[in-house]
């Protein structure tokens, strides 16, 4: 009796995981076709002192998308996280915010994404379907923050 119950629970879990992966594949396709928002936001006023504008580099390193662009970039003393427009996240542990590290993240062909995100209507990022992150510029902290928010650079390196 217990074996039958365990088999039943495992089969339900397996079928629910398959449905979630199909839903996430559909969402990733929708996110990849979504157009970039290039409107100026209130954060643009804070970035007036930034001299360097770095154009996004198009990469060809994902099975889901032929071309992808860097959309969000978060830096800290722990890691450097790149959020691409196809909904994938690539992390570089113990990487500082340097031009070489950012270019390496954008052009690294062998790196596969372990996380995905979805941009919500309120501007938050829903990471792996459960964790929310809110990108904003905080000029008081120099060791951690968002260098790029929705294709716009706020920190020069």
């Amino acid at each position: 009796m217990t074996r039958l119950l365990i088999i039943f629970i495992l089969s339900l879990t397996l079928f629910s995981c398959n449905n979630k992966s199909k839903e996430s594949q559909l969402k990733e396709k929708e996110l990849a076709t979504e157009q970039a928002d290039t409107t100026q936001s209130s954060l643009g006023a804070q970035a007036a002192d930034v001299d360097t504008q770095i154009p996004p580099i198009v990469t060809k390193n994902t099975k889901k998308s032929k071309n992808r662009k860097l959309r969000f970039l978060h830096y800290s003393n722990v890691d450097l996280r790149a959020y691409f427009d196809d909904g994938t996240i690539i992390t570089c542990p113990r990487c500082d915010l340097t031009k070489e590290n950012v270019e390496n993240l954008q052009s690294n062909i062998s790196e596969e994404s372990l996380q995905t995100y979805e941009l919500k209507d309120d501007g938050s990022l829903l990471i792996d379907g459960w964790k929310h992150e809110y990108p904003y510029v905080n000029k008081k902290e120099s060791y951690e923050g968002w260098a790029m928010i929705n294709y716009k650079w706020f920190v020069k390196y």
Side-chain angles (χ1 to χ4, degrees):
M1 181 68 175
T2 58
R3 288 184 186 173
L4 182 61
L5 184 62
I6 291 173
I7 291 172
F8 179 71
I9 292 172
L10 288 175
S11 63
L12 282 177
T13 306
L14 179 64
F15 288 121
S16 67
C17 289
N18 285 340
N19 289 339
K20 287 181 184 177
S21 66
K22 289 177 185 177
E23 289 173 5
S24 65
Q25 288 173 355
L26 290 174
K27 287 180 184 178
E28 287 173 1
K29 287 180 184 177
E30 290 172 4
L31 187 59
T33 59
E34 180 180 286
Q35 294 295 326
D37 182 18
T38 58
T39 58
Q40 295 291 330
S41 65
S42 62
L43 295 173
Q46 295 177 354
D49 62 337
V50 177
D51 299 323
T52 309
Q53 291 294 323
I54 304 167
I57 298 173
V58 177
T59 61
K60 298 179 180 181
N61 59 345
T62 172
K63 297 174 188 172
K64 298 174 201 151
S65 173
K66 296 278 185 200
N67 299 318
R68 68 179 185 182
K69 295 179 184 177
L70 185 62
R71 189 170 189 175
F72 296 90
L73 182 67
H74 185 270
Y75 65 97
S76 68
N77 57 0
V78 177
D79 65 357
L80 187 62
R81 286 192 319 259
Y83 298 75
F84 292 96
D85 62 351
D86 65 351
T88 58
I89 303 171
I90 293 181
T91 304
C92 180
R94 297 185 181 145
C95 289
D96 293 327
L97 181 63
T98 63
K99 183 177 182 178
E100 293 80 20
N101 288 340
V102 172
E103 288 176 352
N104 185 33
L105 278 172
Q106 289 178 320
S107 63
N108 193 348
I109 296 172
S110 62
E111 188 75 28
E112 289 200 23
S113 172
L114 298 177
Q115 291 182 309
T116 58
Y117 77 95
E118 181 180 344
L119 183 62
K120 293 301 200 180
D121 292 336
D122 64 352
S124 68
L125 305 175
L126 182 63
I127 312 297
D128 290 336
W130 66 275
K131 180 182 174 188
H132 284 273
E133 290 187 10
Y134 297 90
Y136 67 96
V137 177
N138 187 0
K139 295 245 178 193
K140 295 178 184 175
E141 292 185 18
S142 61
Y143 63 91
E144 179 176 18
W146 292 89
M148 177 187 271
I149 299 174
N150 213 13
Y151 304 109
K152 185 171 181 174
W153 285 97
F154 291 95
V155 176
K156 63 180 179 180
Y157 49 83

